[in-house]
Amino acid sequence: MVDTTSKHVLIGGGSGFIGSALAAHLRARGDRVTLISRTPGAERITWDDIERDGIPSVDAVVNLAGQHILQPGRRWTDTYRDEVIQSRLRTTRSLVDAINASDVPPEVFVSTAGKCFYGTNRDNGGSYPDLDESAEPMGLDFPAELVGQWESAADHLDTKRIRHVRVRIGVVLGKVDRGSFLGRLWRIGRARGFLPIIRLPFCLGAGAIIGSGQQPFPWIHIDDMVGILVHLIDRDTAEGRFNAVSPGIVSNEEFTRAFARALHRPVLWKIPIWLIDAVVGRDRATILIEGQKVVPKRTLEAGYRFQYPTIEAAMDDLVDITI
């Protein structure tokens, strides 16, 4: 059954890419939204408030907080590695503790993690099995271990009182447009999500396939990412794990060429694996040079219908750039 009554939703990480899009969608349909932030302000509380006073009376809690593992400009060090881990574990534990302690808890808690849970296997011989929500990890690299810890941090939620939805998120694609004179000259857009990390070399004609290019690329349009979260909040029978990835999964090469076509730019070269290892660090390199064929089996079974099921439809909507 779908609950369409107005709700009060608390969002951890609500000022981030996914969180801000989710908050805007919920407010547009008449829901009340409170963000959890590091700084106080209108319609927001801080993580210190959560740890000290607990959570306010809300209908749903969604946690999207976490330091980006591939944040541009951050060199991979032990300090940054610890930041990435603790930014996920501490926020999740704090929220679960506060929810459990509530006299009147929210109806649903949506905890999120990454598709990296499924791990990678460099010796797969080019074979990529379908990985639905019941699949076990193929191998335990650092991203898979991180997601495993992240999900385990929510295991002590009181599921006798609170419905628990776990969402594993693929690579989220946001809109690219031309917003400045320089952007018009070079076709350099403004974007949030994965595209800002890669848009500049593509716009300069230096976009490249990573490694063999055959590794699966589990992606999702930002509108579908928000749509899945809202669908699972509203559907009072939804619980357990759901993959937030498009059903139209493509390889890294197919994604690269689709993005380049949308930008009217060529793809002329491949980045060797050794260079990715050297630049981003071995711990993080598996995210780029290996892949998982993640499929949204339970998401589709729960009744969600994708607005952008193919990479071509997503690029048509997301990339508003012409010659």
Side-chain angles (χ1 to χ4, degrees), residues 2-53:
V2 177
D3 179 6
T4 58
T5 59
S6 180
K7 297 176 178 63
H8 183 187
V9 182
L10 180 66
I11 305 176
S15 59
F17 172 46
I18 301 173
S20 58
L22 174 61
H25 180 95
L26 291 170
R27 286 171 175 146
R29 73 172 195 171
D31 293 333
R32 179 184 172 193
V33 176
T34 299
L35 308 183
I36 311 173
S37 174
R38 284 174 291 187
T39 56
E43 298 184 314
R44 65 178 60 198
I45 57 177
T46 68
W47 290 102
D48 289 339
D49 293 333
I50 294 287
E51 293 184 356
R52 183 183 62 249
D53 304 323

Side-chain angles (χ1 to χ4, degrees), residues 58-115:
V58 295
D59 300 293
V61 177
V62 181
N63 189 27
L64 295 160
Q67 181 80 276
H68 201 303
I69 193 172
L70 286 175
Q71 184 173 333
R74 289 296 302 271
R75 191 167 60 87
W76 191 243
T77 63
D78 289 343
T79 299
Y80 181 34
R81 188 179 192 272
D82 188 59
E83 283 180 28
V84 168
I85 295 170
Q86 293 307 316
S87 68
R88 287 158 172 76
L89 303 191
R90 181 182 175 184
T91 57
T92 302
R93 289 168 180 157
S94 295
L95 271 177
V96 171
D97 288 345
I99 291 168
N100 286 344
S102 298
D103 292 333
V104 182
E107 190 275 328
V108 59
F109 174 53
V110 180
S111 59
T112 63
K115 55 83 181 173

